[in-house]
Amino acid sequence: MTMDGALARVIRSAADRTAAAGVERCELCAAPVPGGHPHLYDTPDGEVRCVCRPCSVLFAGDGAGQGRYRLVPRRRVRLPAVDTGVLGVPVGLVFFVPRADGTVTAQGPSPAGAMRWEVDAGAWEKLAAMCPRLASVAPDVEALLVNTVRGLDEHWIVPVDDCYRMVALIRREWRGLSGGSRVWPAVERFFAELTERS
């Protein structure tokens, strides 16, 4: 066996052990990634990818990766109450993602995953005129996250991966027809953690 073959076998063996242990891996280089790792938005696929910190640095600048991947930012900004009624979305727990092509999608978490629908771009522009900070939301990688459920009135600009974490939380905690006793305290903890991380 050559030295290269032995090294490749050791690397494969370590990778197999890591995968068996359930450790997340960088989707670019396959290195293990810790909790709280960065994410990239895969523009053609419209998906968020897990990456290690060294790989994320490669995509930190505008135009890096020829636009295929965009680094998901880490900022979390709490906004004053925003009248999202102008957007015509009839749910109280929802996130709005402006897209690079000028469209805006709304997604609401449910026990089956995220419900998705298009929002009128003119209505989004009207809302951004009322709350100028919304004009700074980075297309595809940031969102306006709204929670007006159970008397709360939370409005945040967050990384889009936070929104997907919330969708996963709802799916994991929902019980029965109304959500059960676990889902809403979990949602409240989620928003409390946003406050701590901002």
Side-chain angles (χ1 to χ4, degrees), residues 5-198:
L7 181 58
R9 195 180 78 203
V10 169
I11 290 171
R12 272 195 311 275
S13 176
D16 291 344
R17 283 193 307 276
T18 303
V23 173
E24 282 191 271
R25 297 182 118 358
C26 175
E27 294 185 52
L28 295 182
C29 74
V33 293
H37 56 268
H39 292 99
L40 293 178
Y41 180 74
D42 185 335
T43 303
D45 293 340
E47 294 182 6
V48 173
R49 307 276 183 208
C50 298
V51 292
C52 62
R53 294 209 187 282
C55 283
S56 73
V57 171
L58 299 173
F59 300 94
D62 289 338
Q66 299 175 337
R68 161 93 197 222
Y69 296 110
R70 295 181 50 218
L71 186 62
V72 175
R74 302 308 321 146
R75 80 173 173 147
R76 293 170 181 89
V77 179
R78 187 162 188 178
L79 300 173
V82 178
D83 181 13
T84 55
V86 300
L87 299 176
V89 176
V91 294
L93 184 57
V94 64
F95 59 96
F96 301 91
V97 183
R99 302 294 177 183
D101 64 4
T103 62
V104 179
T105 59
Q107 296 182 55
S110 78
M115 302 175 298
R116 181 179 170 154
W117 55 97
E118 296 293 318
V119 173
D120 179 62
W124 176 262
E125 290 172 11
K126 182 178 178 182
L127 184 64
M130 292 188 296
C131 180
R133 294 184 92 172
L134 290 179
S136 72
V137 174
D140 299 318
V141 293
E142 288 187 312
L144 168 63
L145 176 60
V146 176
N147 181 12
T148 58
V149 175
R150 301 180 75 165
L152 295 176
D153 196 14
E154 305 244 11
H155 300 82
W156 290 82
I157 295 173
V158 296
V160 74
D161 53 0
D162 278 355
C163 299
Y164 297 137
R165 280 189 317 106
M166 185 189 60
V167 169
L169 177 137
I170 297 287
R171 288 190 74 185
R172 183 178 65 243
E173 300 296 338
W174 193 276
R175 300 291 182 270
L177 294 175
S178 64
S181 62
R182 294 173 27 176
V183 70
W184 301 116
V187 168
E188 289 175 15
R189 281 192 305 276
F190 176 89
F191 280 89
E193 288 172 9
L194 284 184
T195 300
E196 292 169 11
R197 297 169 79 181
S198 64

